[in-house]
Amino acid sequence: MCGIIGYSGHRPAVPLLVEGLHRLEYRGYDSSGVAFEQAGKLQVVKAAGKLSALESKLASNAFHLATAGIGHTRWATHGLPVERNAHPHLSQDGKLAIIHNGIIENFQEIKDELLAKGHTFLSDTDTEVLAHLIGEEREHSPNLREAFARALRRAHGAYAVVLLSPEEPGIIYAARMAAPLLMGVGVGECFVASDIPAFLPYTREVVFLEDGELARIEGSKWEVFSLADLSPVEKTVNHVPWDMQAAAKDGYKHFMLKEIMEQPRVVTDCLSGRLVGQGDSLRVQLGELDAFPVPSRLHIVACGTSYNAGLWGRELLENIGGIPTDLDIASEFRYRDPILRPDEAVMVISQSGETADTLAALRLAKEKGCKVIGLCNVVGSSIAREADVVVYTQAGPEISVASTKAMCSQMTLIALMAAYYGQRRTDAFDPSASVKMLNALAALPAQLAAVLPTMQERAAQLALRFASSRSFFYLGRGQCHALALEGALKLKELSYIHAEGYASGEMKHGPIALIDPQFPTLALALDDALFPKVKSNIQEVLARQGRVIALVQEKDGVAPELGVEEQWVLPEAHPVAASFLALPALQLFSYCVADYLGKDVDQPRNLAKSVTVE
Ligand code: M6R
């Protein structure tokens, strides 16, 4: 959940570390710090709060000689977000410093043991305990590498750790277990980081470290060893085609807005190379899945927005794909001993490919002998590497903590998968519904691009009117139920306004008691088979003096008249395409409310982009 970076090379290390931390800030931003070597001694500078606080401190430090160092941006797991808990942390003798992402589960046991030996701790973190353990092991090990490995073999839990010590000037050590860590190999220099953008301006040559591996990095020289016995491990260097342009704001006020506006391009990229033919003969090709048997049942497992995408797609996978599909939240699935049969498949959905619970669900499914499909955005992420087959969503880097374009890409790919499985069905499959949907998807990028600018204006008007609300309902049925959950999630995570997403039909079973003029409702009343039912549910809210914004669609050029306070009219579209039009409306509404309220849109409080701890 934290961002880590290490550097060894020929350039001044500290500015590089800070620059890398800026690109990793989405992973955590409650405190930060760097360690580097100066005149044979470790220097550690850290600060609570945003990275700018660290930069101010560094401005008064002379660090120009250091060409190796480590840096960290934190999202608190153990201990308050204060300076003493910020990384790097030192060993008892102060001779080595580490940064860490993850949780050492048995830290208390190790801490008690070290306390009994006279160690004193300056922070509340599990990381400091690990630093002390490495220092302790150093006293009984022939070298630093051995001490690092011995300490890590005792640590249970998840970690990506980078170590620096003046004992071996210019050298950094790194190791990983269940937390992301990769190396960037440049000319005469090498980086190690939690994510590729950290070093992207300097190199696109990447080595993915696996669980249980330890790396020794010294400028252009790097070696990887097995943590178990320190035997050498052969690694390949991969070329990553991303550029920094793809990770910059493109003139938008926030990454979130840029990412919402990118959705027409995202749909185009998702469809590219995957649709063949045209008109009535339009078909899907998903070569990734060809060698994979059609599962007798699909279990979708995911968290947050990715879960909502799965919920949205279930109906299509069943009705068009013909595959019985069920759905689980990853943190529940992994602990409930699910019944999985070998002819079934689990599909894990994750933008980052690093979400700890989703990764654990994937491993559980594999343990139970079930094949796993990974629907992932980040190439080379843990889920992408461990799944039996990966379907990449190709949304490009998503920087804003609130997920937007990733959901659009996940929905596109699930719709394609539904059509693909439909095509592979051996029973009497009527392709007409599938072909209509594919044609609607093919037309979607242009349709989306046309509506987004006016949609943003309408969202801003509504935001102004409703931003003072303390609570919100989001209602929808069928696929709009998933969108209602997503709309509520976006509003609460960005603006901290309490919001509940509900299946409209469930309102009468309790939640309707909450309705009053201070508790507005955003109702998804799109032009689908369930519209008459939603219309009745809206009347029930109105009858209790509830304020309603209804997201509706034109039909034959006319919008329905629902008698609500605000109608937000979307153009006529195929029901599947309509979801893709409603999604950015919900995202933009939340964005505009949060921006109007002056919230930190790209980095909402208490959240991290990639949740790599359970
Ligand atoms: O990277 P993942 O798709 O696995 O992430 C899952 C959730 O953590 C993520 O969607 C989260 O809910 C976002 N904050 C939603 O905007």
Side-chain angles (χ1 to χ4, degrees), residues 58-107:
L58 284 169
S60 55
N61 266 269
F63 50 73
H64 55 280
L65 293 178
T67 56
I70 57 180
H72 187 274
T73 176
R74 179 170 187 254
W75 186 86
T77 56
H78 286 86
L80 294 171
V82 291
E83 187 175 320
R84 73 189 150 81
N85 287 333
H87 299 210
H89 288 286
L90 298 174
S91 54
Q92 175 75 29
D93 59 11
K95 288 187 181 160
L96 63 89
I98 65 166
I99 49 174
H100 165 222
N101 171 31
I103 294 179
I104 307 298
E105 285 168 359
N106 56 338
F107 86 101

Side-chain angles (χ1 to χ4, degrees), residues 37-42 166-167:
E37 183 214 323
Q38 189 99 315
K41 284 207 170 134
L42 263 182
E167 182 190 337

Side-chain angles (χ1 to χ4, degrees), residues 104-359:
I104 307 298
E105 285 168 359
N106 56 338
F107 86 101
Q108 194 56 54
E109 174 193 319
I110 299 171
K111 189 172 185 175
D112 292 344
E113 186 185 305
L114 294 172
L115 282 169
K117 287 185 176 167
H119 285 242
T120 49
F121 294 91
L122 307 175
S123 78
D124 314 317
T125 65
D126 52 342
T127 304
E128 191 188 13
V129 175
L130 182 61
H132 279 231
L133 182 62
I134 302 167
E136 182 74 15
E137 291 290 353
R138 179 66 193 98
E139 291 179 16
H140 317 289
S141 306
N143 54 44
L144 201 51
R145 186 186 64 163
E146 182 75 43
F148 189 35
R150 280 191 192 177
L152 289 176
R153 282 182 215 133
R154 288 207 50 202
H156 303 160
Y159 53 78
V161 192
V162 188
L163 179 152
L164 177 81
S165 169
E167 182 190 337
E168 295 190 27
I171 295 174
I172 53 175
Y173 287 95
R176 103 164 231 172
M177 185 67 73
L181 194 64
L182 29 87
M183 293 195 297
V185 180
V187 179
E189 61 189 349
C190 211
F191 297 79
V192 61
S194 335
D195 203 355
I196 295 169
F199 51 72
L200 206 51
Y202 301 96
T203 180
R204 293 189 199 166
E205 308 308 312
V206 177
V207 175
F208 296 105
L209 293 174
E210 299 293 338
D211 286 353
E213 289 181 350
L214 181 154
R216 178 184 187 277
I217 296 161
E218 183 178 13
S220 57
K221 273 182 12 207
W222 56 270
E223 296 165 283
V224 177
F225 307 91
S226 154
L227 198 52
D229 56 7
L230 290 178
S231 58
V233 178
E234 285 232 356
K235 303 294 288 181
T236 46
V237 180
N238 302 270
H239 179 74
V240 174
W242 291 6
D243 60 14
M244 277 317 291
Q245 181 64 15
K249 273 190 215 162
D250 251 3
Y252 286 101
K253 187 171 175 191
H254 297 101
F255 279 113
M256 183 186 179
L257 184 57
K258 171 187 172 252
E259 288 161 6
I260 293 171
M261 294 304 186
E262 269 176 7
Q263 290 177 103
R265 199 265 308 148
V266 167
V267 178
T268 305
D269 288 353
C270 290
L271 299 180
S272 139
R274 285 164 169 161
L275 289 182
V276 281
Q278 47 183 297
D280 289 347
S281 61
L282 198 56
R283 290 173 65 81
V284 172
Q285 55 181 22
L286 275 176
E288 304 92 315
L289 297 176
D290 285 351
F292 206 75
V294 177
S296 65
R297 175 173 288 276
L298 193 61
H299 304 267
I300 297 181
V301 186
C303 301
T305 292
S306 296
Y307 173 87
N308 294 339
L311 182 63
W312 177 87
R314 175 170 62 183
E315 193 174 308
L316 298 180
L317 287 161
E318 293 202 326
N319 297 355
I320 292 185
I323 300 184
T325 303
D326 50 43
L327 205 75
D328 262 284
I329 290 168
S331 54
E332 293 294 318
F333 178 88
R334 63 181 291 194
Y335 291 116
R336 75 166 172 79
D337 197 15
I339 296 172
L340 302 173
R341 303 187 197 288
D343 58 341
E344 300 174 345
V346 167
M347 177 159 81
V348 291
I349 308 178
S350 176
Q351 185 286 129
S352 61
E354 299 293 350
T355 299
D357 285 319
T358 313
L359 186 57

Side-chain angles (χ1 to χ4, degrees), residues 302-308 349-356 358 375 383 398 400-404 406 410 486 489-490 493 604 607-611:
C303 301
T305 292
S306 296
Y307 173 87
N308 294 339
I349 308 178
S350 176
Q351 185 286 129
S352 61
E354 299 293 350
T355 299
T358 313
L375 188 61
I383 289 176
E398 191 179 63
S400 171
V401 167
S403 187
T404 53
Q410 291 161 346
E486 179 59 12
L489 175 59
K490 285 284 99 66
E493 71 179 327
L607 297 181
K609 181 64 182 162
S610 149
V611 185

Side-chain angles (χ1 to χ4, degrees), residues 282-504:
L282 198 56
R283 290 173 65 81
V284 172
Q285 55 181 22
L286 275 176
E288 304 92 315
L289 297 176
D290 285 351
F292 206 75
V294 177
S296 65
R297 175 173 288 276
L298 193 61
H299 304 267
I300 297 181
V301 186
C303 301
T305 292
S306 296
Y307 173 87
N308 294 339
L311 182 63
W312 177 87
R314 175 170 62 183
E315 193 174 308
L316 298 180
L317 287 161
E318 293 202 326
N319 297 355
I320 292 185
I323 300 184
T325 303
D326 50 43
L327 205 75
D328 262 284
I329 290 168
S331 54
E332 293 294 318
F333 178 88
R334 63 181 291 194
Y335 291 116
R336 75 166 172 79
D337 197 15
I339 296 172
L340 302 173
R341 303 187 197 288
D343 58 341
E344 300 174 345
V346 167
M347 177 159 81
V348 291
I349 308 178
S350 176
Q351 185 286 129
S352 61
E354 299 293 350
T355 299
D357 285 319
T358 313
L359 186 57
L362 174 156
R363 289 175 179 160
L364 176 69
K366 287 180 81 173
E367 253 171 58
K368 286 180 171 262
C370 208
K371 291 279 182 218
V372 177
I373 304 170
L375 188 61
C376 261
N377 191 36
V378 177
V379 178
S381 58
S382 302
I383 289 176
R385 282 179 290 127
E386 293 190 31
D388 294 296
V389 59
V390 192
V391 178
Y392 281 113
T393 50
Q394 299 177 348
E398 191 179 63
I399 304 295
S400 171
V401 167
S403 187
T404 53
K405 64 175 179 171
M407 181 165 179
C408 170
S409 68
Q410 291 161 346
M411 285 162 53
T412 311
L413 261 302
I414 295 173
L416 292 182
M417 280 174 74
Y420 169 84
Y421 281 126
Q423 288 165 198
R424 283 182 67 180
R425 270 161 73 175
T426 48
D427 57 359
F429 167 63
D430 171 10
S432 61
S434 168
V435 167
K436 276 190 192 137
M437 177 183 79
L438 293 180
N439 276 292
L441 288 176
L444 185 59
Q447 201 171 15
L448 255 180
V451 298
L452 280 175
T454 45
M455 198 178 257
Q456 189 184 351
E457 284 166 24
R458 183 73 175 122
Q461 280 170 2
L462 292 170
L464 209 70
R465 217 177 149 98
F466 286 87
S468 57
S469 308
R470 298 278 314 277
S471 290
F472 242 96
F473 265 126
Y474 280 73
L475 297 185
R477 300 180 86 119
Q479 288 182 291
C480 285
H481 171 219
L483 296 177
L485 295 184
E486 179 59 12
L489 175 59
K490 285 284 99 66
L491 188 69
K492 67 185 121 187
E493 71 179 327
L494 290 171
S495 63
Y496 322 141
I497 293 173
H498 162 240
E500 294 197 37
Y502 249 91
S504 325

